[in-house]
């Protein structure tokens, strides 16, 4: 039977691409939890949009009763305003929601982490991503997929200079860049997530470099 899916971070670059790729009947049910309505999805009434401000995470429990939880949630240190707030958003929120989902019987967690994630890293961003990965491994999902993309490419309204440089310079030269550092289109990564959902093998996987590029 096709699984039920819940996604957090659904208004973001990857989250939106993930949802855009879903056709009616593609999954048994699909719930996108976000802080605001996603206008782009007005033609996809089969995607249930659940609006929540993510302050009372317990109130999200019923939406987290799902087979698969996809996490594309995250921010930047600049947007968060402080390292403390960044940690709360990129670590504490996904972890708390993963724990609730697992308590509710969720068997598969798909986490979009980042290239370089390492709980021992001297770089704060990479360290937080690594700490989240480690913490999620402790939650006990029968199937855990961790994706570690390099720079994401796609249409983003927010101005991110790093990604702008990526588009202008790295994309045309992408063939010269080692797989680990290659920028990846959000659409391609979203396709990989759909591919992983279809994989019913139990275990914990970490995907990076060439392996992130969906074969479909
Ligand atoms: N962008 C890159 O180049 C890159 C590279 C490697 C890894 N990653 C990681 O990949 C993941 C997805 O990246 P992305 O570029 O698709 O992200 P994005 O476009 O910035 O979207 C982030 C999502 O997280 C949500 N979010 C942010 N702060 C929140 C909060 N306080 N409470 C609830 N939701 C919140 C946003 O919701 P709102 O719309 O409500 O703000 C949005 O849905 C992130 O974890 C990111 O760190 C990104």
């Amino acid at each position: 039977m096709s699984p039920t899916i819940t996604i957090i971070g659904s208004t973001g670059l990857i989250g939106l691409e993930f949802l855009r790729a879903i056709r009616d009947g593609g999954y048994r049910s699909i719930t996108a939890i976000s802080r605001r309505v996603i206008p782009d999805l007005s033609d996809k009434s089969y995607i249930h949009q659940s609006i929540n401000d993510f302050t009372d995470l317990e109130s999200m429990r019923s939406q987290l009763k799902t087979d698969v939880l996809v996490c594309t949630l995250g921010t930047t240190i600049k947007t968060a305003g402080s390292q403390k707030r960044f940690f709360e958003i990129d670590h504490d929120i996904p972890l708390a929601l993963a724990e609730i989902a697992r308590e509710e019987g969720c068997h598969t967690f798909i986490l979009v982490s980042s290239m370089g994630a390492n709980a021992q890293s001297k770089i704060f961003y990479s360290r937080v991503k690594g700490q989240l990965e480690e913490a999620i491994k402790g939650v006990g999902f029968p199937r855990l997929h961790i994706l570690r993309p390099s720079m994401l490419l796609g249409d983003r309204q927010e101005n991110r200079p790093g990604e702008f440089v990526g588009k202008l310079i790295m994309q045309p030269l992408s063939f010269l860049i080692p797989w680990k550092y290659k920028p990846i289109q959000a659409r391609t990564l979203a396709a990989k997530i759909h591919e992983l959902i279809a994989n019913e093998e139990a275990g914990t996987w970490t995907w990076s470099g060439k392996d992130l590029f969906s074969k479909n």
Side-chain angles (χ1 to χ4, degrees), residues 11 13-14 35-36 73 125 129 152 156 160 163:
T11 53
L13 191 58
I14 309 176
R35 297 190 291 183
R36 55 195 166 85
L73 188 150
Y125 175 87
K129 293 294 188 187
L152 298 174
R156 187 193 293 284
R160 292 193 184 173
E163 288 181 13

Side-chain angles (χ1 to χ4, degrees), residues 129-140:
K129 293 294 188 187
Q131 287 172 342
L132 176 62
E133 289 186 4
E134 293 306 313
I136 294 287
K137 283 177 187 165
V139 175

Side-chain angles (χ1 to χ4, degrees), residues 44 57 115 204:
K44 291 185 185 285
L57 303 184
M115 181 194 80
T204 296

